[in-house]
Amino acid sequence: METTKTHGPEAGELDADRGPDRTEDDGATDATAPGTAPETASPGTAPATTGEPQDLDEPDDVDETETPGSADAPAGVVPGAAAVVGAALGLASLTGTWLGTVLAERRQLIGQINTSSGSPAQQIEQIYGAPWHTTAAVNGVCALVALVVLGAVLLAGRNAAPWVRAVAWGGLALGVLGLCVAAGTWFDLFGGLPSVAGTPVSSGG
């Protein structure tokens, strides 16, 4: 019996013939293996996921920049409105108000009813003096309210706009002048009440 074993040069030739094919197959598998790793890792999707939070954060940044402006708006509107109201009250204390006119007319009517059969001095006091003092009281109250409001604006709004402080100072001057006029009217400093001359008494004889 002849037993043939491929040892020696013939076996080396067979291994040499199969060697390149085997190395190519191994290289192909090795080449495909690194290629599949990036596909499973999907690096292209990573920027998309990181980009979405950036888009969501941009409106938050806009809101944060708009918040200080909206908070400063009421802080500038309130002192300005208060200054205008105070200046209007200061002007009203000099020129008079509708409320003061109505109250003075009401007081005059009450005086006419009460002194229908009174003396001339009582009629002057009730018909002329009382309405005059009522108007002075209303104007004085308007002046005091104007001084309080404008004083608060000037003290609290030291960093207010220049026009706010200008209006406040102008209204404050009007309020002081109106208060002085109202006080002079109340105390009859600008003119006393009219007086009736006494009727001479004739002596009988």
Side-chain angles (χ1 to χ4, degrees), residues 101-121:
T101 302
V102 171
L103 293 177
E105 292 178 353
R106 181 178 180 275
R107 190 69 183 86
Q108 183 177 7
L109 179 60
I110 293 174
Q112 291 176 356
I113 294 173
N114 293 334
T115 60
S116 58
S117 59
S119 63

Side-chain angles (χ1 to χ4, degrees), residues 44 67 95 101 110 112 115 123 126 141 147 153 200-201:
T67 302
T95 60
T101 302
I110 293 174
Q112 291 176 356
T115 60
Q123 292 179 359
Q126 295 295 324
V141 170
L147 293 178
V153 171
V201 178

Side-chain angles (χ1 to χ4, degrees), residues 58-74:
E58 290 180 359
D60 295 336
D61 297 339
V62 175
D63 294 337
E64 291 177 358
T65 56
E66 292 178 357
T67 302
S70 61
D72 293 337

Side-chain angles (χ1 to χ4, degrees), residues 11-182:
E13 292 177 358
L14 292 176
D15 294 334
D17 293 336
R18 295 178 60 186
D21 296 337
R22 185 175 181 180
T23 56
E24 289 177 359
D25 294 340
D26 295 338
T29 56
D30 295 338
T32 55
T36 56
E39 292 179 359
T40 56
S42 63
T45 58
T49 56
T50 56
E52 291 179 358
Q54 294 178 356
D55 296 336
L56 295 176
D57 292 337
E58 290 180 359
D60 295 336
D61 297 339
V62 175
D63 294 337
E64 291 177 358
T65 56
E66 292 178 357
T67 302
S70 61
D72 293 337
V77 171
V78 173
V84 172
V85 171
L89 289 173
L91 181 61
S93 65
L94 284 174
T95 60
T97 60
W98 173 82
L99 179 61
T101 302
V102 171
L103 293 177
E105 292 178 353
R106 181 178 180 275
R107 190 69 183 86
Q108 183 177 7
L109 179 60
I110 293 174
Q112 291 176 356
I113 294 173
N114 293 334
T115 60
S116 58
S117 59
S119 63
Q122 291 178 350
Q123 292 179 359
I124 292 173
E125 174 64 27
Q126 295 295 324
I127 296 173
Y128 176 76
W132 181 257
H133 293 162
T134 301
T135 302
V138 173
N139 293 343
V141 170
C142 290
L144 288 176
V145 174
L147 293 178
V148 171
V149 172
L150 295 173
V153 171
L154 292 175
L155 292 177
R158 295 180 179 178
N159 297 327
W163 70 269
V164 174
R165 297 184 63 83
V167 172
W169 279 113
L172 190 66
L174 292 175
V176 171
L177 185 59
L179 184 61
C180 293
V181 172

